[in-house]
Amino acid sequence: MTETPEPEEDGAQTFADLGIHDDVLEAIKEMGWETPTPVQRDSYPLAIAGHDVIVQSRTGTGKTGAFGLPLVDGLLSDDGDEQALVLAPTRELALQSAREIAKLGTRRGIDTVAVYGGASMEQQIQALDKGARVISGTPGRVLDHLKRGTMKASQLRVLVLDEADEMLDMGFLPDIRRILAALPKDRQNLLFSATMPKEIRSLADNLLND
Ligand code: AMP
């Protein structure tokens, strides 16, 4: 005979249990999300407390929410000019993340912009000038904006590396290093990767403060 397992009592079961603000809870509800996925449940408390986080998770696990939720819910102050930079290997992923974070942050006045190559620089510059708080982009174009001064590195308080293993496979490591060199040292870092080869571990060693 098997025993019925006791419900887990040690972790948050709902988004409200995580302490997420009502206006973000509303957005989550509109998106049709009912309960946090494991990666969201485990990452949120660490990220919102300001820690660096390194997460092994694949696409489809809710990883975008895992970094999007803390970004819109508290890591970026409501009225300041602090920004977050999300680096992704492809323009599709950069766009997809920007859209999802925009939905999550819709009631918090957090604008997002996707910046990637092969698209108009002008539109991206306009969105940056208007004060986008979350910048989701591919490394090459982000570097371009940093060099031109159309993106101000000093305001970037949080860095997210999404699909870090893919970015390394695609040869973005030199660009990532250049971007890292331009960013403030006291930023918070969130690193997401489907796999954790030694190249990612060594990148993490360089990247993470805490
Ligand atoms: P991702 O792993 O971030 O690419 O997310 C995969 C899909 O799951 C996306 O369509 C998300 O909108 C969706 N999703 C993320 N978190 C949740 C959740 N807690 N409940 C239901 N769907 C979710």
Side-chain angles (χ1 to χ4, degrees), residues 69-122:
L69 283 170
L71 284 183
V72 303
D73 198 46
L75 294 188
L76 302 175
S77 56
D78 284 352
D79 48 3
D81 50 12
E82 295 168 345
Q83 293 174 314
L85 173 63
V86 179
L87 290 178
T90 64
R91 70 187 70 178
E92 290 76 18
L93 186 61
L95 256 176
Q96 199 180 302
S97 298
R99 289 193 182 128
E100 188 157 309
I101 296 167
K103 284 190 205 161
L104 291 170
T106 179
R107 288 184 179 71
R108 299 235 112 192
I110 290 185
D111 291 330
T112 67
V113 59
V115 304
Y116 48 84
S120 151
M121 200 76 182
E122 263 328 296

Side-chain angles (χ1 to χ4, degrees), residues 15 33 35-37 40 58-64 96 100:
F15 285 109
W33 298 3
T35 48
T37 65
Q40 292 165 358
R58 293 178 186 282
T59 296
T61 56
K63 67 181 170 62
T64 316
Q96 199 180 302
E100 188 157 309

